[in-house]
CSV table of all heavy atoms in Angstrom, one decimal:
chain,number,residue,atom,x,y,z
A,140,LYS,N,29.5,-1.5,-0.4
A,140,LYS,CA,28.6,-0.4,0.0
A,140,LYS,C,28.1,0.3,-1.2
A,140,LYS,O,27.0,0.7,-1.3
A,140,LYS,CB,29.3,0.5,0.9
A,140,LYS,CG,28.5,1.7,1.3
A,140,LYS,CD,29.1,2.6,2.4
A,140,LYS,CE,30.5,3.0,2.2
A,140,LYS,NZ,31.0,4.0,3.2
A,141,GLU,N,28.9,0.4,-2.3
A,141,GLU,CA,28.5,1.1,-3.5
A,141,GLU,C,27.3,0.4,-4.1
A,141,GLU,O,26.4,1.1,-4.7
A,141,GLU,CB,29.7,1.2,-4.5
A,141,GLU,CG,30.8,2.1,-4.0
A,141,GLU,CD,31.6,1.6,-2.8
A,141,GLU,OE1,31.8,0.3,-2.7
A,141,GLU,OE2,32.1,2.4,-2.0
A,142,GLU,N,27.3,-0.9,-4.1
A,142,GLU,CA,26.2,-1.7,-4.6
A,142,GLU,C,24.9,-1.3,-3.9
A,142,GLU,O,23.8,-1.2,-4.5
A,142,GLU,CB,26.4,-3.2,-4.5
A,142,GLU,CG,25.3,-4.1,-5.0
A,142,GLU,CD,25.6,-5.5,-4.8
A,142,GLU,OE1,26.8,-5.9,-4.7
A,142,GLU,OE2,24.6,-6.3,-4.9
A,143,VAL,N,25.0,-1.1,-2.6
A,143,VAL,CA,23.8,-0.7,-1.7
A,143,VAL,C,23.3,0.7,-2.2
A,143,VAL,O,22.1,0.9,-2.3
A,143,VAL,CB,24.2,-0.8,-0.2
A,143,VAL,CG1,23.1,-0.2,0.6
A,143,VAL,CG2,24.5,-2.2,0.2
A,144,LEU,N,24.3,1.6,-2.3
A,144,LEU,CA,23.9,3.0,-2.7
A,144,LEU,C,23.3,3.0,-4.1
A,144,LEU,O,22.3,3.8,-4.3
A,144,LEU,CB,25.1,3.9,-2.5
A,144,LEU,CG,25.6,4.1,-1.1
A,144,LEU,CD1,26.9,4.8,-1.0
A,144,LEU,CD2,24.5,4.7,-0.2
A,145,GLU,N,23.8,2.2,-5.0
A,145,GLU,CA,23.2,2.2,-6.3
A,145,GLU,C,21.8,1.6,-6.3
A,145,GLU,O,20.9,2.1,-7.0
A,145,GLU,CB,24.1,1.3,-7.3
A,145,GLU,CG,25.4,2.0,-7.7
A,145,GLU,CD,26.3,1.1,-8.4
A,145,GLU,OE1,25.9,0.0,-8.9
A,145,GLU,OE2,27.5,1.4,-8.6
A,146,ALA,N,21.6,0.6,-5.4
A,146,ALA,CA,20.3,0.0,-5.3
A,146,ALA,C,19.3,1.0,-4.7
A,146,ALA,O,18.1,1.0,-5.1
A,146,ALA,CB,20.4,-1.3,-4.3
A,147,LEU,N,19.8,1.8,-3.8
A,147,LEU,CA,18.9,2.9,-3.2
A,147,LEU,C,18.4,3.8,-4.3
A,147,LEU,O,17.3,4.1,-4.5
A,147,LEU,CB,19.6,3.7,-2.1
A,147,LEU,CG,18.8,4.8,-1.5
A,147,LEU,CD1,17.6,4.3,-0.8
A,147,LEU,CD2,19.7,5.7,-0.6
A,148,ASP,N,19.4,4.3,-5.2
A,148,ASP,CA,19.0,5.2,-6.2
A,148,ASP,C,18.0,4.6,-7.2
A,148,ASP,O,17.0,5.2,-7.6
A,148,ASP,CB,20.3,5.6,-7.0
A,148,ASP,CG,21.2,6.5,-6.2
A,148,ASP,OD1,20.7,7.2,-5.3
A,148,ASP,OD2,22.4,6.6,-6.5
A,149,GLU,N,18.3,3.3,-7.6
A,149,GLU,CA,17.3,2.6,-8.5
A,149,GLU,C,16.0,2.5,-7.8
A,149,GLU,O,14.9,2.7,-8.5
A,149,GLU,CB,17.9,1.3,-8.9
A,149,GLU,CG,19.1,1.4,-9.8
A,149,GLU,CD,19.8,0.0,-10.0
A,149,GLU,OE1,19.1,-1.0,-9.7
A,149,GLU,OE2,20.9,0.0,-10.5
A,150,SER,N,16.0,2.1,-6.6
A,150,SER,CA,14.7,1.9,-5.9
A,150,SER,C,13.9,3.1,-5.7
A,150,SER,O,12.7,3.1,-6.0
A,150,SER,CB,15.1,1.3,-4.5
A,150,SER,OG,13.9,1.1,-3.7
A,151,LEU,N,14.5,4.2,-5.4
A,151,LEU,CA,13.8,5.5,-5.2
A,151,LEU,C,13.3,6.0,-6.6
A,151,LEU,O,12.1,6.5,-6.7
A,151,LEU,CB,14.7,6.6,-4.6
A,151,LEU,CG,15.1,6.4,-3.2
A,151,LEU,CD1,16.2,7.3,-2.8
A,151,LEU,CD2,13.9,6.6,-2.3
A,152,GLY,N,14.1,5.8,-7.6
A,152,GLY,CA,13.6,6.2,-9.0
A,152,GLY,C,12.4,5.4,-9.4
A,152,GLY,O,11.4,5.9,-9.9
A,153,ARG,N,12.4,4.1,-9.1
A,153,ARG,CA,11.3,3.2,-9.5
A,153,ARG,C,10.0,3.6,-8.7
A,153,ARG,O,8.9,3.7,-9.2
A,153,ARG,CB,11.6,1.7,-9.2
A,153,ARG,CG,10.5,0.8,-9.5
A,153,ARG,CD,10.9,-0.7,-9.6
A,153,ARG,NE,9.8,-1.4,-10.2
A,153,ARG,CZ,9.1,-2.4,-9.6
A,153,ARG,NH1,9.4,-2.7,-8.3
A,153,ARG,NH2,8.2,-3.0,-10.2
A,154,ALA,N,10.2,3.8,-7.4
A,154,ALA,CA,9.1,4.2,-6.5
A,154,ALA,C,8.5,5.6,-7.0
A,154,ALA,O,7.3,5.7,-7.1
A,154,ALA,CB,9.5,4.3,-5.1
A,155,ARG,N,9.3,6.5,-7.3
A,155,ARG,CA,8.8,7.8,-7.8
A,155,ARG,C,8.0,7.7,-9.1
A,155,ARG,O,7.0,8.2,-9.3
A,155,ARG,CB,10.0,8.8,-8.1
A,155,ARG,CG,10.3,9.6,-6.9
A,155,ARG,CD,11.4,10.7,-7.3
A,155,ARG,NE,12.4,10.8,-6.2
A,155,ARG,CZ,13.5,10.2,-6.2
A,155,ARG,NH1,14.0,9.5,-7.2
A,155,ARG,NH2,14.3,10.3,-5.1
A,156,ASP,N,8.6,6.9,-10.0
A,156,ASP,CA,7.9,6.6,-11.3
A,156,ASP,C,6.5,6.0,-11.1
A,156,ASP,O,5.6,6.4,-11.7
A,156,ASP,CB,8.8,5.7,-12.2
A,156,ASP,CG,10.0,6.4,-12.8
A,156,ASP,OD1,10.1,7.7,-12.7
A,156,ASP,OD2,10.9,5.7,-13.3
A,157,ILE,N,6.5,5.0,-10.3
A,157,ILE,CA,5.2,4.3,-10.0
A,157,ILE,C,4.2,5.2,-9.3
A,157,ILE,O,3.1,5.3,-9.8
A,157,ILE,CB,5.4,3.0,-9.2
A,157,ILE,CG1,6.2,2.0,-10.1
A,157,ILE,CG2,4.1,2.4,-8.7
A,157,ILE,CD1,6.7,0.7,-9.4
A,158,LEU,N,4.7,5.9,-8.2
A,158,LEU,CA,3.7,6.7,-7.5
A,158,LEU,C,3.2,7.9,-8.4
A,158,LEU,O,2.1,8.3,-8.3
A,158,LEU,CB,4.4,7.3,-6.2
A,158,LEU,CG,4.6,6.3,-5.1
A,158,LEU,CD1,5.6,6.8,-4.1
A,158,LEU,CD2,3.3,5.9,-4.5
A,159,SER,N,4.1,8.4,-9.2
A,159,SER,CA,3.7,9.5,-10.1
A,159,SER,C,2.6,9.2,-11.0
A,159,SER,O,1.8,10.0,-11.4
A,159,SER,CB,4.9,10.0,-10.9
A,159,SER,OG,5.9,10.6,-10.1
A,160,GLY,N,2.5,7.9,-11.3
A,160,GLY,CA,1.4,7.5,-12.3
A,160,GLY,C,0.1,7.1,-11.6
A,160,GLY,O,-0.8,6.6,-12.3
A,161,LEU,N,0.0,7.2,-10.3
A,161,LEU,CA,-1.2,6.8,-9.6
A,161,LEU,C,-2.0,8.0,-9.0
A,161,LEU,O,-1.5,8.7,-8.2
A,161,LEU,CB,-0.8,5.9,-8.4
A,161,LEU,CG,-0.1,4.6,-8.8
A,161,LEU,CD1,0.4,3.8,-7.6
A,161,LEU,CD2,-1.0,3.7,-9.6
A,162,ASP,N,-3.1,8.3,-9.6
A,162,ASP,CA,-4.0,9.4,-9.1
A,162,ASP,C,-4.7,9.0,-7.8
A,162,ASP,O,-4.6,7.8,-7.4
A,162,ASP,CB,-4.9,9.9,-10.2
A,162,ASP,CG,-5.9,8.8,-10.7
A,162,ASP,OD1,-6.1,7.7,-10.0
A,162,ASP,OD2,-6.5,9.0,-11.7
A,163,ASP,N,-5.5,9.9,-7.2
A,163,ASP,CA,-6.2,9.6,-6.0
A,163,ASP,C,-7.1,8.4,-6.1
A,163,ASP,O,-7.2,7.6,-5.2
A,163,ASP,CB,-7.0,10.8,-5.5
A,163,ASP,CG,-6.1,11.8,-4.8
A,163,ASP,OD1,-4.9,11.6,-4.7
A,163,ASP,OD2,-6.7,12.8,-4.3
A,164,GLU,N,-7.8,8.3,-7.3
A,164,GLU,CA,-8.7,7.1,-7.4
A,164,GLU,C,-7.9,5.8,-7.4
A,164,GLU,O,-8.3,4.8,-6.7
A,164,GLU,CB,-9.4,7.2,-8.8
A,164,GLU,CG,-10.5,6.1,-9.0
A,164,GLU,CD,-11.3,6.3,-10.2
A,164,GLU,OE1,-11.3,7.4,-10.8
A,164,GLU,OE2,-12.0,5.3,-10.6
A,165,ALA,N,-6.8,5.8,-8.1
A,165,ALA,CA,-5.9,4.5,-8.0
A,165,ALA,C,-5.4,4.3,-6.6
A,165,ALA,O,-5.4,3.1,-6.2
A,165,ALA,CB,-4.8,4.7,-9.0
A,166,MET,N,-5.0,5.4,-5.9
A,166,MET,CA,-4.5,5.2,-4.6
A,166,MET,C,-5.5,4.7,-3.6
A,166,MET,O,-5.2,4.1,-2.6
A,166,MET,CB,-3.9,6.5,-4.1
A,166,MET,CG,-2.6,6.9,-4.8
A,166,MET,SD,-1.3,5.7,-4.8
A,166,MET,CE,-0.8,5.8,-3.0
A,167,MET,N,-6.8,5.0,-3.9
A,167,MET,CA,-7.9,4.5,-3.0
A,167,MET,C,-8.4,3.2,-3.4
A,167,MET,O,-9.2,2.6,-2.8
A,167,MET,CB,-9.0,5.5,-2.9
A,167,MET,CG,-8.6,6.8,-2.2
A,167,MET,SD,-7.7,6.6,-0.6
A,167,MET,CE,-8.9,5.7,0.3
A,168,GLY,N,-7.9,2.6,-4.6
A,168,GLY,CA,-8.2,1.3,-5.0
A,168,GLY,C,-7.7,0.3,-4.0
A,168,GLY,O,-6.7,0.5,-3.3
A,169,MET,N,-8.4,-0.9,-3.9
A,169,MET,CA,-8.0,-1.9,-2.9
A,169,MET,C,-6.8,-2.7,-3.4
A,169,MET,O,-6.7,-3.1,-4.5
A,169,MET,CB,-9.2,-2.7,-2.6
A,169,MET,CG,-10.3,-2.0,-1.8
A,169,MET,SD,-9.7,-1.3,-0.2
A,169,MET,CE,-9.6,-2.8,0.7
A,170,PHE,N,-6.0,-3.1,-2.4
A,170,PHE,CA,-4.9,-4.0,-2.6
A,170,PHE,C,-5.2,-5.2,-1.7
A,170,PHE,O,-5.6,-5.0,-0.5
A,170,PHE,CB,-3.6,-3.4,-2.2
A,170,PHE,CG,-2.5,-4.5,-2.1
A,170,PHE,CD1,-1.8,-4.9,-3.3
A,170,PHE,CD2,-2.1,-5.0,-0.9
A,170,PHE,CE1,-0.8,-5.8,-3.2
A,170,PHE,CE2,-1.1,-6.0,-0.8
A,170,PHE,CZ,-0.4,-6.4,-2.0
A,171,ARG,N,-5.1,-6.4,-2.2
A,171,ARG,CA,-5.5,-7.6,-1.4
A,171,ARG,C,-4.4,-8.7,-1.6
A,171,ARG,O,-3.8,-8.8,-2.6
A,171,ARG,CB,-6.8,-8.2,-1.9
A,171,ARG,CG,-8.0,-7.4,-1.5
A,171,ARG,CD,-9.3,-8.1,-2.0
A,171,ARG,NE,-10.5,-7.4,-1.5
A,171,ARG,CZ,-11.0,-6.3,-2.0
A,171,ARG,NH1,-10.4,-5.7,-3.1
A,171,ARG,NH2,-12.0,-5.7,-1.5
Side-chain angles (χ1 to χ4, degrees):
K140 176 171 55 176
E141 291 71 30
E142 181 182 339
V143 172
L144 294 171
E145 287 172 15
L147 177 66
D148 291 336
E149 290 172 15
S150 177
L151 291 168
R153 180 167 192 244
R155 269 188 222 99
D156 289 347
I157 291 170
L158 287 167
S159 294
L161 299 173
D162 60 16
D163 280 3
E164 183 176 348
M166 291 302 289
M167 293 312 300
M169 292 300 287
F170 170 81
R171 289 182 171 79

